[in-house]
Amino acid sequence: MTSDNKSTTTADKMKSVKAAWDKAPSGPKKDAAKKHYDAAEKAHTAKNDAETNKELDAAKHALA
C-alpha cells in the first residue's frame, strides 16, 4: 500500500507542477522548468519516484 500511496502523491505533485508551469509567463524560468518537468515525466514512466520527485522539485524551484 505504501508504494500506491507514494505513486498517488507523485502523480498529484506532477499535476500541481504542471498547473503551475501552465500559468507561468513565458521566459527562461518557464523554459528551465519545462526541461525538469520533461525529465520528471521520463522518470515517472520508468517508475523511478525518487528521480521524479527530484525533477519536480527542481521544476518548482525554477518557476519560483
Side-chain angles (χ1 to χ4, degrees), residues 35-57:
K35 289 178 186 171
H36 288 295
Y37 186 80
D38 289 345
E41 283 184 319
K42 250 186 186 173
H44 188 66
T45 300
K47 300 188 185 323
N48 184 343
D49 282 346
E51 186 66 21
T52 302
N53 283 310
K54 181 181 138 194
E55 290 296 343
L56 289 173
D57 288 341

Side-chain angles (χ1 to χ4, degrees), residues 1 6-8 15 22 26-27 29 33-35 38 46 48 50 54-55 59 62-63:
M1 268 192 128
K6 192 174 189 181
S7 292
T8 301
K15 288 177 193 169
D22 286 340
S26 295
K29 287 183 176 184
K34 177 71 170 141
K35 289 178 186 171
D38 289 345
N48 184 343
K54 181 181 138 194
E55 290 296 343
L63 289 171

